[in-house]
Amino acid sequence: EPEVTQTPSHQVTQMGQEVILRCVPISNHLYFYWYRQILGQKVEFLVSFYNNEISEKSEIFDDQFSVERPDGSNFTLKIRSTKLEDSAMYFCASRGLRGGNEQFFGPGTRLTVL
Amino acid sequence: EDQVTQSPEALRLQEGESSSLNCSYTVSGLRGLFWYRQDPGKGPEFLFTLYSAGEEKEKERLKATLTKKESFLHITAPKPEDSATYLCAVYTGGFKTIFGAGTRLFVKA
């Protein structure tokens, strides 16, 4: 069964460093999303991406964040200068054009900022 | 402001003890309500989508229902492997999905 994959599973970085989180959505999906979940808290929407552009973003998704679909399979989230409060699980999700509006999530990347 | 509230925060059941989880929502223009299961350290796993009041969906021991203001996830005769956090989320037709805080379910053998 097709699934969303994410790499790395765990990323440790120093405050102020740039990180890139990678996702491979399900192959025929056209809508892509990033969410974060701080330990013990709810899943929070960051950004949605469709037709090679951001379709919506939350207040969390400030100038330190960017997304890109560099080729036909990868979808990335870049954090330019990480802060301690960026430590969280980051989930990628994708949705197909047909069928319901449900999104399918990857296993997540745990980001730890020291 | 769009809001999703889940109750209870945590629920402890004995194996075989049926119960229900609640998700109440206040959104402008519901386009879909989702239920997900999340195991510790993992991504949410899709369970159901409901679109309109009166709709019901079933999968094994789980049944989801929807009214105009809330959704219920009914768990019939749960087993220990049903222990997880159950997340409710609403889709309002933009490109944003709003999640509730979840209900942590513990099923004891």
Side-chain angles (χ1 to χ4, degrees):
Chain A
E1 186 174 328
E3 58 183 21
V4 177
T5 60
Q6 291 185 242
T7 54
S9 57
H10 191 190
Q11 173 94 47
V12 181
T13 189
Q14 295 291 325
M15 189 170 56
Q17 295 296 303
E18 174 183 289
V19 295
I20 297 175
L21 311 183
R22 292 183 166 80
C23 168
V24 178
I26 293 173
S27 64
N28 61 347
H29 283 187
L30 298 177
Y31 299 85
F32 313 113
Y33 307 83
W34 282 103
Y35 293 83
R36 81 172 184 190
Q37 187 175 31
I38 295 169
L39 187 63
Q41 297 187 24
K42 63 171 67 175
V43 175
E44 299 175 289
F45 169 81
L46 292 178
V47 67
S48 58
F49 192 86
Y50 171 69
N51 201 25
N52 282 320
E53 61 183 21
I54 290 174
S55 41
E56 188 157 355
K57 59 184 180 180
S58 72
E59 314 76 49
I60 304 167
F61 194 88
D62 61 23
D63 292 344
Q64 293 299 311
F65 292 89
S66 62
V67 290
E68 193 178 32
R69 186 153 164 82
D71 53 43
S73 59
N74 290 283
F75 180 51
T76 62
L77 174 69
K78 181 193 291 186
I79 308 175
R80 266 180 264 284
S81 177
T82 50
K83 307 182 186 76
L84 295 175
E85 54 264 37
D86 293 327
S87 294
M89 282 287 280
Y90 288 81
F91 295 109
C92 172
S94 69
R95 171 166 84 87
L97 186 61
R98 293 191 177 82
N101 296 320
E102 56 270 13
Q103 298 163 34
F104 295 89
F105 283 73
T109 292
R110 178 173 299 284
L111 177 65
T112 302
V113 182
L114 302 176
Chain B
E1 184 184 340
D2 297 336
Q3 272 195 324
V4 179
T5 303
Q6 291 189 247
S7 62
E9 287 185 17
L11 181 62
R12 296 181 185 275
L13 300 174
Q14 289 292 127
E15 185 172 3
E17 180 186 1
S18 302
S19 189
S20 297
L21 314 182
N22 177 264
C23 170
S24 62
Y25 58 90
T26 308
V27 296
S28 49
L30 180 74
R31 295 284 295 275
L33 184 142
F34 311 122
W35 283 98
Y36 287 88
R37 169 190 171 129
Q38 187 176 31
D39 291 298
K42 303 285 179 65
E45 174 190 343
F46 172 74
L47 294 173
F48 304 109
T49 307
L50 301 166
Y51 291 102
S52 55
E55 190 175 358
E56 298 183 352
K57 294 269 179 77
E58 277 189 77
K59 180 180 178 181
E60 296 180 354
R61 295 177 291 282
L62 300 177
K63 179 179 174 181
T65 62
L66 181 66
T67 71
K68 287 187 177 179
K69 293 189 176 180
E70 58 190 350
S71 176
F72 292 92
L73 184 66
H74 307 278
I75 302 178
T76 302
K79 298 182 178 180
E81 54 261 42
D82 294 323
S83 298
T85 296
Y86 290 86
L87 305 175
C88 170
V90 296
Y91 176 69
T92 60
F95 290 91
K96 189 172 180 177
T97 301
I98 303 165
F99 278 81
T103 293
R104 286 175 294 141
L105 175 67
F106 304 93
V107 182
K108 188 175 177 182

